[in-house]
Amino acid sequence: MVAMAALGSLLTMTTLSACGSTDTRRTSGWEGRPGPQATHPRKAVAAPAPTRIPDVGDRLHRDIPAGTRQVLAVYGDGKDSPTSTAVLFTKHGSTWNRTRSWPAHNGKKGWTLDHRLGDERSPVGVFTLTAAAGVLDDPGTALPYTQDEGYAAPRDWDESHWHDFDYVIAIDYNRVPGTPPDDAEQPEGEDKGGGIWLHLDHGSGTSACVSLPKEAMEYLLRTLDPERHPVVLMGDRMDLKG
């Protein structure tokens, strides 16, 4: 009987030491050690669609109009970088779905929160997209579109730029929304610059515009819908998060 009691006591002590031990001398418990490999892998669970535009802070999110259902987000690679990535998001209910993305270029010298004429930096912010134009015929856009040979780039420019303005979408920075992209009125004054567009890419940085591949411009022109109040949200990644 004594032997049986001793054995029972020993088993009890062993059990306490291995699971939920109160021994304060133990520096690490079993909870921190990996368990056995699962024999049946779990099914992958898709992440829910975001209710915000990813990697954009509160300040710029507040600038997105309440009725906007299409956002072209341009994520600049750096404050002084001319390269970026453009992502089209479409809102369904309360969630923003990533629709398409493309490589892009912005101002040769990067981005600025205070754009000035000739600084070769693209302005950071949220701007409406309300008018389009180009040398080429309307590809089937719902935006007001002006086809005019006058949009052709000057032929004394480098040949790589000759097709820049085959398609353009005006970025409503320092301009009257809804007017043709080449409208000269600048409500904030000439010093703040203007004439900033989405246009065809030529493989390098721009004066301040955002440039995209031709197929991207065609897709945007056919997809952007005035009834969804499209905007471009653009800047370097750090300022976008600010």
Side-chain angles (χ1 to χ4, degrees), residues 144-194:
Y145 188 89
T146 305
Q147 188 281 322
D148 193 330
E149 294 287 339
Y151 279 94
R155 286 308 185 253
D156 58 352
W157 287 11
D158 187 88
E159 188 174 350
S160 63
H161 294 263
W162 286 4
H163 294 283
D164 281 10
F165 311 133
D166 281 359
Y167 293 125
V168 305
I169 300 172
I171 293 173
D172 290 340
Y173 167 85
N174 195 20
R175 70 181 302 273
V176 179
T179 59
D182 62 353
D183 184 79
E185 185 174 352
Q186 297 179 339
E188 297 180 47
E190 184 178 347
D191 185 58
K192 291 290 289 181

Side-chain angles (χ1 to χ4, degrees), residues 87-105:
V87 183
L88 179 63
F89 292 94
T90 304
K91 193 172 189 180
H92 298 283
S94 62
T95 62
W96 287 101
N97 298 105
R98 182 184 177 118
T99 306
R100 295 283 290 272
S101 66
W102 307 272
H105 283 96

Side-chain angles (χ1 to χ4, degrees), residues 6 11 27 57 104 112 117-118 120 187 203 206-207 212 217 227 230 233:
L11 288 172
T27 58
T112 178
L117 179 65
E120 297 186 335
T206 70
S207 294
L212 296 156
M217 288 297 297
E227 293 188 358
L233 186 163

Side-chain angles (χ1 to χ4, degrees), residues 112-135:
T112 178
L113 292 166
D114 185 22
H115 177 69
R116 297 290 169 172
L117 179 65
D119 67 9
E120 297 186 335
R121 291 180 179 271
S122 298
V124 176
V126 177
F127 309 101
T128 53
L129 302 171
T130 57
V135 175

